[in-house]
Amino acid sequence: MAPRSAKRSGVLELAVLGLLDQSPMHGYELRKRLSGVLGTFHAISYGSLYPCLKDLVARGWLVEDGEGEPTGLSGKRARIVYRLTAEGKEHFQQLIAEAGPDTWEDERFGVRLAFFGRTEASVRMRILEGRRSRLEERLDTLRQSLARSRERLDSYTLELQQHGLDSVEREVRWLDELIASERDASTTTKKSGAPTGQPVTTTSGAGNYPTAHGE
């Protein structure tokens, strides 16, 4: 299993590529947009963002463009705008085509959900079903643990354990709704003969899904 720091680095890389796939941005704007995508899970600092950007430039997935000319009076440097290369776009498409177990985990699921609008319908379904399966396993573990230790827990610890269980149950119900919507959309698309692969519309904002506690 990859170290947690490596997983977080991979999540940041995916989010950066995904946002720059929409439009070029300078570092300050990109950091603000990343906070919207990853804010539930990560505090994005320049100390983590710029090393990531430099690494992506070194790999040939980004290029740096100067925005404006430096002035002699102020001495300010031109702002750097980061833009995806053709190789970067191809790599991003490869990343959002993945639907393996890593995409079901807490570290990566939120950012994958944020880019479901550019993800194939079959991939979205595999990720949603995989996430639900992973949480159902977690539910079984939490219920067994709570049943074994209920008599030994004080009221506050018991409430904390129950809160974690309730959180996971809420996310499972939410996933059930998303999966049902995906299936309905797929059925409607097949009947109408329209191209497949369009995302379903939900009331949840990207990255703002119910958080599963009590891991």
Side-chain angles (χ1 to χ4, degrees), residues 125 175-186 200-202:
M125 183 63 81
L175 288 167
D176 285 340
E177 294 174 1
L178 283 181
I179 290 169
S181 296
E182 286 282 348
R183 288 175 177 159
D184 289 345
S186 177
V200 299
T201 300
T202 71

Side-chain angles (χ1 to χ4, degrees), residues 13-23 84 92 96 115 118:
E13 174 187 308
L14 174 59
V16 167
L17 293 174
L19 290 175
L20 293 179
D21 185 55
Q22 296 173 328
S23 65
L84 228 58
F92 174 67
I96 63 171
F115 298 118
R118 283 172 278 168

Side-chain angles (χ1 to χ4, degrees), residues 118-135:
R118 283 172 278 168
T119 302
E120 289 292 328
S122 59
V123 176
R124 293 197 302 265
M125 183 63 81
R126 288 199 299 273
I127 292 173
L128 290 172
E129 290 179 336
R131 175 68 176 175
R132 181 176 62 181
S133 175
R134 184 57 46 86
L135 290 183

Side-chain angles (χ1 to χ4, degrees), residues 80-131:
I80 295 175
V81 174
Y82 295 90
R83 176 171 53 83
L84 228 58
T85 63
E87 292 80 5
K89 289 179 178 291
E90 182 179 353
H91 182 61
F92 174 67
Q93 291 301 319
Q94 292 172 352
L95 290 176
I96 63 171
E98 295 175 357
D102 280 353
T103 66
W104 313 340
E105 301 295 345
D106 295 345
E107 293 285 349
R108 191 172 287 261
F109 177 70
V111 71
R112 287 304 309 270
L113 185 71
F115 298 118
F116 263 19
R118 283 172 278 168
T119 302
E120 289 292 328
S122 59
V123 176
R124 293 197 302 265
M125 183 63 81
R126 288 199 299 273
I127 292 173
L128 290 172
E129 290 179 336
R131 175 68 176 175

Side-chain angles (χ1 to χ4, degrees), residues 145-209:
S145 175
L146 190 58
R148 288 194 303 266
S149 58
R150 182 180 294 274
E151 299 301 324
R152 301 194 302 272
L153 298 177
D154 62 66
S155 60
Y156 297 105
T157 305
L158 186 61
E159 285 296 328
L160 181 62
Q161 295 276 341
Q162 187 63 51
H163 174 68
L165 183 62
D166 293 343
S167 297
V168 180
E169 288 176 338
R170 281 196 301 272
E171 186 173 347
V172 170
R173 291 194 297 270
W174 174 73
L175 288 167
D176 285 340
E177 294 174 1
L178 283 181
I179 290 169
S181 296
E182 286 282 348
R183 288 175 177 159
D184 289 345
S186 177
T187 301
T188 301
T189 299
K190 288 178 181 178
K191 288 181 179 179
S192 65
T196 59
Q198 294 302 311
V200 299
T201 300
T202 71
T203 57
S204 300
N208 293 326
Y209 62 90

Side-chain angles (χ1 to χ4, degrees), residues 55-69:
D55 181 59
L56 296 178
V57 169
R59 295 187 188 195
W61 295 334
L62 300 183
V63 292
E64 299 175 336
D65 294 329
E67 185 182 79
E69 296 294 332

